[in-house]
């Protein structure tokens, strides 16, 4: 009985509602500070979580700025992907600004607020239910694009690995993801890839990406009827510890995560388990057909995978009704 009470207490402390309430004072202070900037919303991200978790924060900031007609000024330092001194802006190292904001920039010193968690902004409760895949992609691409050196690396890999419209991308997120998504066995995932190949005869090859070497070995040994190419990532999970907590150099972790997502976005079809990394492939390429192997858990039903699952479930229901 005591164990159940303790488990419930831990779950409550991890909940978005609890964290949102605790962060209220810092959130109010942040927004009060930013109102002094008069037209600019300047945020420095120092989040200690996955690369694309930080990208979710960027997306929410852009939604807020779009709604309030503000100019976003986003940087990211320290944390997992930056240097210990916080001198390097790793977000600017990976992404370029698409256009210079119109109008004169304010001449006064812009006050930058540091955030370490999405709840400090208060945007998830405000915008999560409004997010749509196409509009989110348009919003992000209106402001940012991957840096030229990232594009060059991705294009080089696509050419060498022959990744394109006839490629089925397969992404399996392992390690601790079962805390946020319904688990899928390796065998069932491979069978889902097989059925997708059978339903889409134009797919003539497979490109597989995962954070677990054991899964990659299992997948490559599976008797698929199509040739398999493996993602060129060198940094993989250390046992059950996620890549971003495995002590690798920060910039290298971020670069490989971004390159992996972009490589999957260049495929002609994507089969995946819940993961921000591969879900962002749909943001980078909104025309990419995606099949999600399982839903995120109800307490982690977050965009983009939440929207992917809702749309997939609706399509399956429509097909069933049409029979």
């Amino acid at each position: 009985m005591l164990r159940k009470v303790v488990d419930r207490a831990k779950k409550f402390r991890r909940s978005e509602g609890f964290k949102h309430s605790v962060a209220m004072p810092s959130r109010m202070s942040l927004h009060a500070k930013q109102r002094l900037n008069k037209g600019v919303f300047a945020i420095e991200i120092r989040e200690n979580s996955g690369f694309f978790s930080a990208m979710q924060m960027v997306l929410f900031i852009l939604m807020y700025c779009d709604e309030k007609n503000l100019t976003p000024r986003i940087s990211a330092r320290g944390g997992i992907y930056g240097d210990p001194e916080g001198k390097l802006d790793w977000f600017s190292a990976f992404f370029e600004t698409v256009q210079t904001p119109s109008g004169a920039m304010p001449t006064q010193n812009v006050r930058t607020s540091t955030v370490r968690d999405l709840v400090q902004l208060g945007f998830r409760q405000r915008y999560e239910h409004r997010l749509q895949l196409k509009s989110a992609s348009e919003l992000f691409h209106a402001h940012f694009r991957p840096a030229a050196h990232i594009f060059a690396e991705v294009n080089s890999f696509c050419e060498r690995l022959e990744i394109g419209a006839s490629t089925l991308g397969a992404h399996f997120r392992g390690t601790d993801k079962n805390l946020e998504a319904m688990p899928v066995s390796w065998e069932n995932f491979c069978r889902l890839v097989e059925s997708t190949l059978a339903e889409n005869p134009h797919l003539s090859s497979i490109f597989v990406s995962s954070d677990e070497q054991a899964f990659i070995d299992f997948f490559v040994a599976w008797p698929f009827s199509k040739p398999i190419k493996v993602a060129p990532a060198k940094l993989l999970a250390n046992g059950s510890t996620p890549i971003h907590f495995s002590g690798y150099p920060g910039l290298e972790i971020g670069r490989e995560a971004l390159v992996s997502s972009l490589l999957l976005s260049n495929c002609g079809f994507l089969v995946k388990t819940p993961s921000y990394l591969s879900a962002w492939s749909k943001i980078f390429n909104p025309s990419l057909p995606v099949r999600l192997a399982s839903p995120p858990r109800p307490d982690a039903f977050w965009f983009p995978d939440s929207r992917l699952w809702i749309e997939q479930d609706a399509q399956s229901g429509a097909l069933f009704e049409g029979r």
Side-chain angles (χ1 to χ4, degrees), residues 8 14 18 24 34 40 87 222 245 252 268 292 311:
R8 287 177 183 173
R14 291 195 302 265
F18 176 78
M24 183 178 293
Q34 287 304 306
V40 174
K87 296 180 179 179
W222 190 270
F245 294 139
E252 285 301 299
L292 197 55
E311 293 186 4

Side-chain angles (χ1 to χ4, degrees), residues 191-207:
R191 292 190 181 99
L192 182 60
V193 170
E194 282 184 327
S195 64
T196 304
L197 288 170
E199 295 164 9
N200 298 272
H202 70 284
L203 298 173
S204 58
S205 64
I206 304 170
F207 171 72

Side-chain angles (χ1 to χ4, degrees), residues 31 39 41 58-72 121-123 125-131 139 143:
H31 285 283
F41 194 67
V58 170
L59 187 57
F60 281 118
I61 292 170
L62 294 180
M63 290 187 73
Y64 178 76
C65 290
D66 188 58
E67 181 182 273
K68 301 296 183 181
N69 195 29
L70 300 172
T71 298
L121 293 167
F123 291 163
Q125 284 79 356
R126 191 173 195 168
Y127 297 120
E128 180 80 30
H129 66 285
R130 302 189 204 175
L131 282 165
L139 179 62
H143 291 273

Side-chain angles (χ1 to χ4, degrees), residues 157-179:
F157 280 132
C158 283
E159 183 176 352
R160 180 160 63 85
L161 299 175
E162 300 180 316
I163 297 172
S166 62
T167 306
L168 183 148
H171 181 248
F172 189 94
R173 171 70 161 85
T175 60
D176 64 341
K177 198 61 181 180
N178 63 326
L179 299 174

Side-chain angles (χ1 to χ4, degrees), residues 231-269:
K234 299 177 182 178
L235 309 180
L236 298 175
N238 183 10
S240 61
T241 303
I243 293 172
H244 49 281
F245 294 139
S246 296
Y248 297 121
L251 275 180
E252 285 301 299
I253 304 173
R255 183 192 61 77
E256 286 204 351
L258 179 56
V259 167
S260 294
S261 183
L262 289 168
L263 287 174
L264 291 168
S265 77
N266 277 273
C267 294
F269 203 110

Side-chain angles (χ1 to χ4, degrees), residues 274-317:
S275 164
Y276 275 147
L277 183 152
S278 50
W280 264 77
S281 299
K282 183 71 172 179
I283 302 300
F284 292 132
N285 178 13
S287 64
L288 175 68
V290 179
R291 178 171 290 178
L292 197 55
S294 68
R297 293 189 184 276
D299 59 347
F301 201 68
W302 299 323
F303 184 87
D305 279 325
S306 59
R307 180 52 54 183
L308 285 169
W309 184 259
I310 289 170
E311 293 186 4
Q312 179 174 301
D313 192 49
Q315 291 173 359
S316 298

Side-chain angles (χ1 to χ4, degrees), residues 4 10 27 52 59 105 178:
K4 289 183 178 180
K10 288 181 179 179
R27 185 165 58 248
F52 285 97
L59 187 57
M105 292 296 291
N178 63 326

